[in-house]
Amino acid sequence: MSGFTLGKDILSYVAVGDSFTEGLDDPYPDSARFPQGRYRGWADRFAEHLARHVREVRYANLAVRGKLLRQILTEQLPRAVELRPDLVTLCAGGNDILRPGSDPDTLADAFEGAVRQLRDTGADVVIFTGFDTGFQPVMRHLRGKIATYNMHLRGIADRYHCRVVDLWSMKIFQDRRAWSDDRLHLSAEGHRRLALRVCEVMGVPVDEDWNAPWPQEPPAPWHQARQEDLRWARQHLVPWIHRRLTGRSSGDGVRPKRPNLEPLVRR
């Protein structure tokens, strides 16, 4: 890797992706400083860690919830290339994998083209694999498709000399406390731990351990677990299916939260 170094006076970083990178469901607690509905997420947290070791971090986050890979490549990739940052994090294809009939081989071909364009600018690129969904009953059937896509991503990373954040191997995310109520997005604690893992991959010093064991808690009674499943289906699964059937997306009308490379204010 050539562009990323903590020894720089100024480091530019662009995050590209969907809701995972936008930061759902990790809202900023300080509503006085941030607009309502503005999410923090692992990318903002990672940029904050960078800012503790670099004199000035210029950070843009182009990610928008609900975006498919082709939309990310059409709407975000040209802007990322135009900004010519030192570092790009790229996570895309997850929303495609969730849809019936999607082909991980075809997705990987498109993803590779994006990596090629970003590397041609001189940017260092960090790629994220998909999570292992074997522990989630509703999405367990996607495990094989995700694993196939992951193998493609690792091959792309090897060919273009990218670092990889291997979400599949992070067993810490097989705990419900790592996830928000919708079971699709990380919780605030999940985002915090992931930011620490990205720091580890990138060689950014931190004082906390992303893999620290979760505090022990008694298992929920069977009837409580079933009630939670029913509530989740009513509040999250049914609306998600309705959006798919009507051709709508949670990202309709949503703009990137940091469309420009701007100095990050240290928190």
Side-chain angles (χ1 to χ4, degrees):
M1 300 180 75
S2 57
F4 177 82
T5 172
L6 292 180
K8 283 193 168 190
D9 286 335
I10 300 174
L11 190 148
S12 55
Y13 163 43
V14 174
V16 176
D18 51 30
S19 59
F20 171 76
T21 302
E22 184 186 347
L24 277 69
D25 280 315
D26 180 19
Y28 272 100
D30 188 354
S31 58
R33 292 182 61 200
F34 297 96
Q36 186 175 12
R38 164 76 180 272
Y39 289 98
R40 188 181 187 184
W42 67 264
D44 284 23
R45 291 173 180 267
F46 170 60
E48 291 161 11
H49 284 294
L50 283 176
R52 299 187 182 108
H53 302 280
V54 178
R55 184 173 64 81
E56 182 177 305
V57 173
R58 296 175 180 172
Y59 169 48
N61 190 317
L62 308 179
V64 174
R65 69 198 73 174
K67 295 299 182 182
L68 298 171
L69 177 59
R70 60 175 173 76
Q71 295 172 312
I72 291 171
L73 301 187
T74 301
E75 299 168 11
Q76 299 177 34
L77 180 63
R79 179 59 174 158
V81 169
E82 179 186 14
L83 291 172
R84 302 186 71 84
D86 301 306
L87 176 67
V88 177
T89 53
L90 176 61
C91 184
N95 288 320
D96 300 82
I97 294 290
L98 290 173
R99 299 192 174 208
S102 61
D103 177 21
D105 300 333
T106 302
L107 292 173
D109 286 341
F111 190 99
E112 181 166 2
V115 172
R116 183 186 306 112
Q117 289 187 58
L118 292 169
R119 290 293 283 141
D120 284 347
T121 69
D124 289 321
V125 179
V126 182
I127 293 172
F128 294 72
T129 70
F131 291 100
D132 182 355
T133 58
F135 72 102
Q136 294 181 325
V138 175
M139 292 195 292
R140 188 176 295 151
H141 69 286
L142 297 172
R143 198 168 184 235
K145 188 187 290 188
I146 296 170
T148 300
Y149 191 47
N150 286 351
M151 293 304 295
H152 281 302
L153 296 181
R154 284 195 164 278
I156 293 168
D158 288 343
R159 288 191 290 277
Y160 294 91
H161 308 289
C162 305
R163 299 196 197 190
V164 177
V165 178
D166 185 11
L167 302 176
W168 182 279
S169 67
M170 296 177 69
K171 303 305 180 186
I172 202 76
F173 288 126
Q174 295 183 6
D175 187 289
R176 64 174 182 80
R177 287 168 286 185
W179 299 90
S180 66
D181 286 344
D182 68 5
R183 304 182 185 181
L184 286 173
H185 300 104
L186 293 176
S187 64
E189 177 61 13
H191 280 286
R192 186 189 72 83
R193 287 175 180 259
L194 179 53
L196 293 173
R197 174 61 175 141
V198 178
C199 286
E200 181 180 77
V201 170
M202 299 303 298
V204 179
V206 291
D207 297 327
E208 302 165 284
D209 180 10
W210 65 267
N211 203 27
W214 293 95
Q216 290 192 350
E217 63 176 16
W222 180 88
H223 65 87
Q224 180 181 334
R226 298 293 75 76
Q227 289 175 348
E228 291 178 354
D229 289 343
L230 291 173
R231 179 179 58 82
W232 168 79
R234 182 174 62 255
Q235 295 183 1
H236 301 288
L237 180 61
V238 172
W240 183 85
I241 292 174
H242 181 69
R243 287 197 300 272
R244 297 288 79 74
L245 293 176
T246 56
R248 294 184 296 113
S249 167
S250 59
D252 290 345
V254 178
R255 305 289 297 170
K257 62 182 181 180
R258 291 182 68 99
N260 304 307
L261 279 173
E262 299 175 346
L264 187 72
V265 178
R266 298 189 183 189
R267 304 180 72 248

